[in-house]
């Protein structure tokens, strides 16, 4: 028997108080990360009290206004322009420090928005509110051949000054594999590996209107016999996979559906860094990439939306 029932949250299974996705630090052995997703009609709001947690607001479709109130009562505001959908390019984001009250409002039309969170140390909360423009998001071409994917690093340590939270998003074209080779970050080894929980939030987009059920797949398996885990999940738009530990990968895009995922990471270690270890059985694949072309569908800007007659799903 696998562990899907424990670590996979299909859309609708973790809804709470107006959030259609609410993956929070409530399951056993889940402590450091959170993710909330809401669909807002024009004029709708969502409020989040953030004691002990820092957040990044990530528009998935449409734009949203972010109002953040600091503990001293000072107010900061950012109007996030957002984007048509997650496959059409990076978005601007807003970072909200721990202890601030966060309000989201859809002013001009419908929007879907994700709020990624991380628990901060007990004496945390000293960071500054920040609006990161879409043009300032580094876009990374990772892998090659059928392992080509695009990574948008809006919330990584070299881009965003945060306390614990690391976040990015990945586009994997139809038929490609990402999170490959399988890797892990579940023990603290200074300079080599950091212990990080990880959330994968997925969306899919059909390549053709005939693809009425676009899906992808995610694999997680044990790196330590004393910490077993076995996940093989079929994922659709709005589904979440939690990775508490272990090797994870691949995230597979089916031949008839492009795959998007938002990654949220944080952990207990003293250093905010994404340091990983590859599964030795598959690490050699990196050496083959130098001889393979990068997937032209991703460079320099994804052409995926133009291919997908059926729109976002």
């Amino acid at each position: 028997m696998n562990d899907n029932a424990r670590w996979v949250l299909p859309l609708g299974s973790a809804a709470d108080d107006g959030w259609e996705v609410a993956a929070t630090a409530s399951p056993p052995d889940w402590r450091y990360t959170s993710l909330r997703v809401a669909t807002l009609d024009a004029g709708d709001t969502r409020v989040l009290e953030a004691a002990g947690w820092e957040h990044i607001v990530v528009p998935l479709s449409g734009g949203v206004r972010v109002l953040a109130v600091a503990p001293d009562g000072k107010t900061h505001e950012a109007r996030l322009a957002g984007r048509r959908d997650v496959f059409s390019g990076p978005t601007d984001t807003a970072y909200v420090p721990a202890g601030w009250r966060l309000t989201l409002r859809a002013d001009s039309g419908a929007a879907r928005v994700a709020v990624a969170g991380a628990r901060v140390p007990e004496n945390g909360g000293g960071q500054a509110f920040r609006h990161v423009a879409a043009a300032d998001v580094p876009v990374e071409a990772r892998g090659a051949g059928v392992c080509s994917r695009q990574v948008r690093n809006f919330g990584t340590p070299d881009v965003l000054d945060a306390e614990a939270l690391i976040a990015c998003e990945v586009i994997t074209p139809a038929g490609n594999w990402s999170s490959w080779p399988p890797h892990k970050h579940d023990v603290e080894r200074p300079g080599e590996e950091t212990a990080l929980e990880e959330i994968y939030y997925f969306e899919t987009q059909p390549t053709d209107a005939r693809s009425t059920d676009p899906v992808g797949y995610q694999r997680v398996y044990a790196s330590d016999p004393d910490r077993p885990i076995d996940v093989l999940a079929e994922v659709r738009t709005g589904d979440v996979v939690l990775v508490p530990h272990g090797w994870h990968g691949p995230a597979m895009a089916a031949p008839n559906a492009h795959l998007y995922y938002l990654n949220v990471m944080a952990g207990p270690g003293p250093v905010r860094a994404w340091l990983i270890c590859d599964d030795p059985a598959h690490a050699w694949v990196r050496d083959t990439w130098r001889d393979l072309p990068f997937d032209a569908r991703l460079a320099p800007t994804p052409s995926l939306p133009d291919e997908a007659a059926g729109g976002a799903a």
Side-chain angles (χ1 to χ4, degrees), residues 74-109:
K74 188 175 182 180
T75 298
H76 295 258
E77 184 174 335
R79 294 180 181 271
L80 304 185
R83 52 192 166 182
R84 184 181 66 186
D85 57 50
V86 297
F87 295 96
S88 60
T91 181
D92 52 345
T93 61
Y95 170 77
V96 182
W100 294 40
R101 186 172 188 262
L102 168 62
T103 301
L104 305 176
R105 180 181 176 89
D107 283 336
S108 58

Side-chain angles (χ1 to χ4, degrees), residues 101-145:
R101 186 172 188 262
L102 168 62
T103 301
L104 305 176
R105 180 181 176 89
D107 283 336
S108 58
R112 291 189 72 245
V113 59
V115 182
R119 189 189 300 276
V120 302
E122 188 173 340
N123 60 349
Q127 304 302 104
F129 179 87
R130 186 177 173 195
H131 180 188
V132 179
D136 293 332
V137 175
V139 177
E140 176 187 357
R142 187 176 296 174

Side-chain angles (χ1 to χ4, degrees), residues 143-144 284-293:
W284 59 268
V285 74
R286 292 187 186 274
D287 294 333
T288 69
W289 293 344
R290 67 173 63 94
D291 301 320
L292 298 174

Side-chain angles (χ1 to χ4, degrees), residues 31-102:
R31 301 181 180 92
Y32 303 106
T33 57
S34 67
L35 179 70
R36 294 172 173 87
V37 177
T39 299
L40 307 178
D41 293 326
D44 283 353
T45 61
R46 295 291 186 275
V47 178
L48 187 59
E49 300 288 351
W53 290 75
E54 60 183 349
H55 294 95
I56 300 177
V57 180
V58 185
L60 301 171
S61 64
V64 67
R65 179 158 58 100
V66 179
L67 186 68
V69 181
D72 64 3
K74 188 175 182 180
T75 298
H76 295 258
E77 184 174 335
R79 294 180 181 271
L80 304 185
R83 52 192 166 182
R84 184 181 66 186
D85 57 50
V86 297
F87 295 96
S88 60
T91 181
D92 52 345
T93 61
Y95 170 77
V96 182
W100 294 40
R101 186 172 188 262
L102 168 62

Side-chain angles (χ1 to χ4, degrees), residues 149-187:
R149 60 270 202 192
Q150 182 188 86
V151 185
R152 303 164 182 164
N153 292 308
F154 60 83
T156 51
D158 57 342
V159 176
L160 180 70
D161 184 16
E163 294 190 68
L165 182 57
I166 299 173
C168 64
E169 57 186 13
V170 179
I171 298 293
T172 308
N176 284 13
W177 287 29
S178 59
S179 288
W180 193 259
H183 58 278
K184 73 179 185 76
H185 37 74
D186 58 11
V187 295

